[in-house]
Amino acid sequence: TFQTIYNSDNFYLNLAYNNFSSFGEEEEVNYSRYLLSLIYSNKIKNILNYSFSIIPNYSDFNRKLKVGLTFLFSKDLKNFSFLFSQSIRYPSLQQLTFTGIHESANRYEIANENLKDEYSFNFSFEYKHSFNFMTFSINPSFDYVKNFILLKDLDTIISDLPAYTWENHDVYFVNLNSEISFIISKNFILNSSFIYSKPSTDILFYTKPQIKTTLSFNNLSLINRLVFNEKIFSIFSISLNYSFKFIKIYFSIENLFNENFIEPTNPFKTPIPYRNYSIKIFI
């Protein structure tokens, strides 16, 4: 992938070139694509924020030039904001060309070179309010996606693995995000967020409703994640960040108590009984 970007106050330009070789079981596919994004954004007399995008896409896979138009309108008021947008997403190289064993997902995939482009329409509304000791927000939204690209289970076995392919469906989503924070003291904060998204059709490995709660004191945070997937999974994590002059250190332990749980987006659909340690050092 080669990419060049130009960005100014109101104008954004992104030119990308992808060259891709797919070594599937049926044949090797060589595929390249040029993708150009031109975005212009501004305000209408401080009444409305807007942006328009033109996204030409040319690939040697189908020898066609596609031109997509996207837009966004938004407005911020005292405690309210709303957004209406339309966007486009082109199928990935893997979805168009790769047929064979996908080792990382433990499945056999069959490409679909006839996939159509996704067109997404989104309306979002948000309300925020702050008190001396508490902040609260609620954000309902609605998405309609024409030609949504989803994974289809073929209910068959190929090379000893379950077989899947990709296909288009018109899907709408009802979403709700909410967050509340209690500022107990300057260094002691309790935050809880709720995430919910419901598609109009079943989508494999789609995210499930969950509640994430974080208790922070100075540089130490204790996190609990409740995932509502067939049953309620409760996963605890802990993190610590420390700064010393020009060095920053971040340490975390995920799944602190080594719980057996099934991640909704996990394609294996198997329990994940492990504790994960990570350390990051920034200079």
Side-chain angles (χ1 to χ4, degrees):
T1 298
F2 297 93
Q3 187 176 43
T4 182
I5 296 173
Y6 171 78
N7 193 14
S8 67
D9 291 340
N10 302 105
F11 183 74
Y12 173 85
L13 175 68
N14 180 359
L15 175 62
Y17 168 74
N18 307 106
N19 191 283
F20 178 80
S21 293
S22 171
F23 301 93
E25 293 192 355
E26 294 188 356
E27 60 178 344
E28 178 185 344
V29 178
N30 295 309
Y31 176 63
S32 62
R33 174 162 69 182
Y34 292 90
L35 187 62
L36 178 67
S37 302
L38 302 97
I39 303 174
Y40 178 77
S41 61
N42 213 326
K43 293 184 178 180
I44 303 176
K45 295 181 180 180
N46 291 323
I47 299 174
L48 199 66
N49 303 316
Y50 69 88
S51 69
F52 289 93
S53 310
I54 298 177
I55 310 176
N57 171 43
Y58 174 78
S59 69
D60 65 6
F61 181 75
N62 50 24
R63 304 291 180 180
K64 290 181 180 179
L65 175 65
K66 301 176 181 178
V67 179
L69 174 67
T70 73
F71 60 83
L72 178 149
F73 296 98
S74 66
K75 176 61 180 175
D76 293 324
L77 300 171
K78 183 178 180 181
N79 292 323
F80 299 90
S81 64
F82 72 86
L83 178 147
F84 176 66
S85 65
Q86 182 267 319
S87 60
I88 184 173
R89 185 175 79 90
Y90 298 115
S92 71
L93 309 182
Q94 174 187 319
Q95 294 165 342
L96 291 169
T97 66
F98 179 76
T99 295
I101 297 174
H102 193 311
E103 287 88 353
S104 62
N106 198 35
R107 63 179 179 238
Y108 190 96
E109 288 187 6
I110 299 175
N112 182 357
E113 63 182 57
N114 298 314
L115 285 175
K116 300 177 182 178
D117 306 329
E118 280 188 6
Y119 290 90
S120 176
F121 299 85
N122 168 264
F123 179 79
S124 175
F125 173 84
E126 184 175 33
Y127 172 77
K128 290 182 178 180
H129 197 83
S130 296
F131 301 95
N132 292 331
F133 63 94
M134 183 183 75
T135 61
F136 169 78
S137 70
I138 185 167
N139 175 213
S141 62
F142 177 83
D143 295 282
Y144 170 71
V145 184
K146 184 173 179 57
N147 302 325
F148 181 81
I149 301 171
L150 55 79
L151 199 62
K152 180 183 179 182
D153 187 351
L154 296 177
D155 197 24
T156 187
I157 302 295
I158 301 178
S159 300
D160 297 323
L161 290 172
Y164 297 83
T165 190
W166 304 93
E167 61 181 20
N168 293 109
H169 280 275
D170 294 348
V171 184
Y172 65 84
F173 301 82
V174 177
N175 314 297
L176 178 64
N177 295 336
S178 181
E179 184 173 352
I180 186 169
S181 295
F182 294 95
I183 306 170
I184 302 171
S185 69
K186 182 180 179 181
N187 300 318
F188 200 12
I189 299 174
L190 176 64
N191 174 273
S192 185
S193 60
F194 173 70
I195 302 172
Y196 173 84
S197 181
K198 176 65 175 177
S200 59
T201 186
D202 289 334
I203 298 177
L204 295 174
F205 317 126
Y206 192 68
T207 185
K208 299 296 183 182
Q210 53 186 289
I211 298 174
K212 182 179 179 181
T213 303
T214 303
L215 182 63
S216 301
F217 180 73
N218 290 332
N219 299 320
L220 180 67
S221 296
L222 178 65
I223 304 104
N224 173 256
R225 185 167 160 243
L226 294 175
V227 181
F228 300 86
N229 182 24
E230 298 174 1
K231 68 174 187 177
I232 300 176
F233 298 97
S234 180
I235 306 102
F236 284 88
S237 304
I238 191 169
S239 69
L240 174 67
N241 62 83
Y242 181 76
S243 297
F244 178 74
K245 293 185 178 180
F246 57 86
I247 298 177
K248 293 182 179 181
I249 300 174
Y250 177 83
F251 175 73
S252 67
I253 305 174
E254 297 179 12
N255 197 4
L256 184 63
F257 300 113
N258 210 23
E259 295 288 341
N260 286 294
F261 74 99
I262 298 177
E263 185 68 51
T265 55
N266 172 22
F268 301 99
K269 284 296 180 185
T270 54
I272 306 176
Y274 60 79
R275 185 183 296 114
N276 184 44
Y277 301 85
S278 71
I279 184 168
K280 298 178 183 179
I281 301 175
F282 303 90
I283 301 176

